[in-house]
Amino acid sequence: DTAVSQTPKYLVTQMGNDKSIKCEQNLGHDTMYWYKQDSKKFLKIMFSYNNKELIINETVPNRFSPKSPDKAHLNLHINSLELGDSAVYFCASSRHRDTNTEAFFGQGTRLTVV
Amino acid sequence: SQKIEQNSEALNIQEGKTATLTCNYTNYSPAYLQWYRQDPGRGPVFLLLIRENEKEKRKERLKVTFDTTLKQSLFHITASQPADSATYLCALDGSYNTDKLIFGTGTRLQVFP
């Protein structure tokens, strides 16, 4: 049973399109995250939700809109995709919002904008 | 602003030796520090967490130290094996904000037979 699963694993799309990445966790965790890992492998937090409430929004362009229908799901919708959005996006979850607990990551979604 | 530095160059060591990876940080005092392993094409996997009031933490062949005076953490893998080859990331909580983890750039470890 996969703890944090995200789909799709690969996404190739043209500039200007709108796309979504879905994430689900079956760990019963309260907190979920989206991270972006660029070509230099730098992993940077984008958003954090705790019990469906947005708690962190790290100066991400408003073309990126996370949505949490329930605490087990955190989806990421991206409007008007740009070349610079190409990266690997990771969903993660943790038992609670404080960072004294480990984070569980999904397998990643490799987004390529052409 | 807070900054986390890990050796960007790969660390190559022979099987059986101890690998030591470094994580340095500046401009803040984290309450927690975590280490993760990332394999190509996979998400990071949690290894160890150490608190600011702990000097050392061990788990099987892994050992982490946390020196808040030097603002440095060392991550050791003893009796290293080729299967330990991966990228290792350190992560700290954000300054004045323990709601988020801030990751270093990672160090790639290559263990050769």
Side-chain angles (χ1 to χ4, degrees), chain B residues 71-109:
Chain B
K71 293 188 181 294
Q72 180 182 79
S73 174
L74 298 178
F75 177 79
H76 306 272
I77 306 175
T78 57
S80 59
Q81 305 164 359
D84 295 325
S85 299
T87 296
Y88 291 86
L89 304 162
C90 71
L92 293 79
D93 60 87
S95 183
Y96 308 113
N97 181 353
T98 56
D99 281 346
K100 65 178 181 180
L101 281 176
I102 299 174
F103 281 84
T105 50
T107 298
R108 188 163 185 283
L109 172 66

Side-chain angles (χ1 to χ4, degrees), chain A residues 18-21 34 47 62-67 75-80:
Chain A
D18 303 338
K19 290 292 178 186
S20 292
I21 308 172
W34 277 109
F47 301 103
N62 56 16
R63 297 182 294 104
F64 290 78
S65 52
K67 285 191 173 45
N75 304 322
L76 184 65
H77 189 75
I78 316 170
N79 287 331
S80 304

Side-chain angles (χ1 to χ4, degrees), chain A residues 17 38 47-48 68 72 78 93-94 110:
Chain A
N17 283 351
D38 60 25
F47 301 103
S48 171
S68 183
I78 316 170
S93 73
S94 61
R110 181 174 291 277

Side-chain angles (χ1 to χ4, degrees), chain B residues 35-39 43-47 82-89:
Chain B
W35 282 89
Y36 287 77
R37 169 186 172 139
Q38 187 174 21
D39 291 284
V45 175
F46 172 81
L47 296 174
D84 295 325
S85 299
T87 296
Y88 291 86
L89 304 162

Side-chain angles (χ1 to χ4, degrees), chain A residues 3-4 24-33 49-52 68 70-73 92-97 101-105:
Chain A
V4 179
E24 176 182 5
Q25 54 96 2
N26 63 5
L27 298 166
H29 288 169
D30 286 342
T31 309
M32 295 186 72
Y33 311 84
Y49 270 71
N50 187 65
N51 280 318
K52 301 195 302 174
S68 183
D70 55 62
K71 76 173 194 177
H73 294 84
S93 73
S94 61
R95 192 155 36 94
H96 51 74
R97 61 190 288 174
T101 182
E102 64 187 274
F104 291 77
F105 283 80

